[in-house]
Amino acid sequence: LYAMLTASSMGEMPGGNNYQIAIVQDITERKKAEQELIESEEKFKNVVNQSPIGLVLFDNNGKFLDCNPVSLSMFGIVTMNELVGIDFFQAHHISQKQKQEVKDSKNVRFEMKFDFDLVKKLDLFNTTRSGQCFLSCFATPLKIQGNDKAGILLHLIDITERKKTEHLIKEENERFQTTMNAIDSVVYVADLKNYEILFVNKYVKDL
C-alpha cells in the first residue's frame, strides 16, 4: 500500500488553539503504473541493446541522439561520444533524394556504401575500421503520440558479405560467358526438368 500525506496548518482557531489538517490519499495504483512503466522501458532498452540490427536515433532536425551497441561495432566506434554532433542530413553517404524523403516523414529503404577512409579524411569521427562496407538501411519517422513526428529511427544491417558473394557470382558468370562465347561450336545450357534454354553462346546466335 502506498499513500501520500498532505498536511497544512489551519492557523489559530477560536479559543487560541492551533490546528492542522492532514489528507491521506491511496496512490497504490499510481505507484504500480509507474513501476510497470519503468519495467517496460527497461525491457525495451534491453531489446534494443540486444538487437542484431543496428538502431540509430536522430531528432527531427537530424541530430544524433542515441544508438545501440551493434551500431557502434558496425562503424568501429569505441564510445558513443564520437557521434555527438553527427547530422543525418549532412551525411555524405546518403543521397539528397533520400534525405528529402526522410524530411517528408516517409519510410525510406536504401543501400549505402560506407567509406571509412573518407570518414577519416573528413575527420567525422574516430573509427577502428578501414576500407568500405555495404549497409541495408531503413529510415522511418518515430512517432511517440498521435501523428506527431518525434524523430528519425535508422535501421542498419551489414550486407558486406552478401555484396561480396554477389560480386563473385557476377564475375564467375562473366568468365563463363566469355569462355563459352569463344568456342566455335554450339554450346547451350538447358533446364533438365522443363528443357528451358537458359544460355546459348555467341556461335549459336550468329548462325
Side-chain angles (χ1 to χ4, degrees), residues 18-201:
N18 290 321
Y19 292 90
Q20 289 186 332
I21 185 171
I23 300 174
V24 179
Q25 292 178 288
D26 186 344
I27 58 171
T28 303
E29 292 303 317
R30 192 186 81 185
K31 281 293 184 179
K32 285 182 179 179
E34 290 175 353
Q35 184 60 36
E36 289 174 356
L37 179 60
I38 292 173
E39 291 176 357
S40 177
E41 289 175 345
E42 289 178 350
K43 288 178 182 178
F44 177 76
K45 187 174 182 179
N46 287 334
V47 169
V48 170
N49 287 337
Q50 295 175 25
S51 171
I53 298 175
L55 298 171
V56 186
L57 179 63
F58 301 88
D59 66 16
N60 278 331
N61 297 316
K63 299 297 183 183
F64 171 80
L65 292 176
D66 200 359
C67 70
N68 65 347
V70 170
S71 301
L72 295 178
S73 176
M74 200 175 287
F75 292 105
I77 298 173
V78 176
T79 172
M80 197 182 299
N81 292 335
E82 291 290 341
L83 296 176
V84 174
I86 291 293
D87 190 330
F88 178 90
F89 297 114
Q90 297 299 321
H92 294 78
H93 302 86
I94 304 174
S95 72
Q96 290 302 320
K97 179 184 177 182
Q98 292 159 352
K99 292 175 184 177
Q100 186 58 52
E101 288 177 338
V102 171
K103 284 183 179 180
D104 294 338
S105 297
K106 295 180 179 179
N107 294 324
V108 185
R109 292 185 183 274
F110 57 96
E111 290 186 0
M112 174 172 59
K113 182 168 72 172
F114 199 87
D115 190 335
F116 291 101
D117 296 327
L118 179 62
V119 168
K120 293 175 180 178
K121 181 179 178 180
L122 298 176
D123 195 27
L124 298 178
F125 56 81
N126 292 320
T127 175
T128 59
R129 297 192 61 177
S130 59
Q132 298 176 338
C133 76
F134 292 88
L135 301 172
S136 174
C137 310
F138 178 50
T140 181
L142 185 64
K143 298 179 180 179
I144 303 299
Q145 292 182 343
N147 294 319
D148 294 332
K149 180 180 172 185
I152 304 162
L153 184 61
L154 183 64
H155 307 69
L156 301 167
I157 300 176
D158 192 332
I159 58 172
T160 305
E161 291 305 315
R162 192 191 81 188
K163 284 291 184 180
K164 287 181 179 178
T165 301
E166 290 175 354
H167 182 69
L168 289 174
I169 291 174
K170 182 180 178 182
E171 286 186 336
E172 288 295 329
N173 186 52
E174 289 175 350
R175 276 196 291 267
F176 169 79
Q177 293 193 35
T178 299
T179 302
M180 295 302 102
N181 286 331
I183 298 175
D184 290 330
S185 59
V186 175
V187 176
Y188 70 93
V189 178
D191 189 322
L192 295 178
K193 290 183 178 180
N194 56 23
Y195 304 107
E196 178 186 358
I197 301 298
L198 302 176
F199 170 81
V200 294
N201 67 342

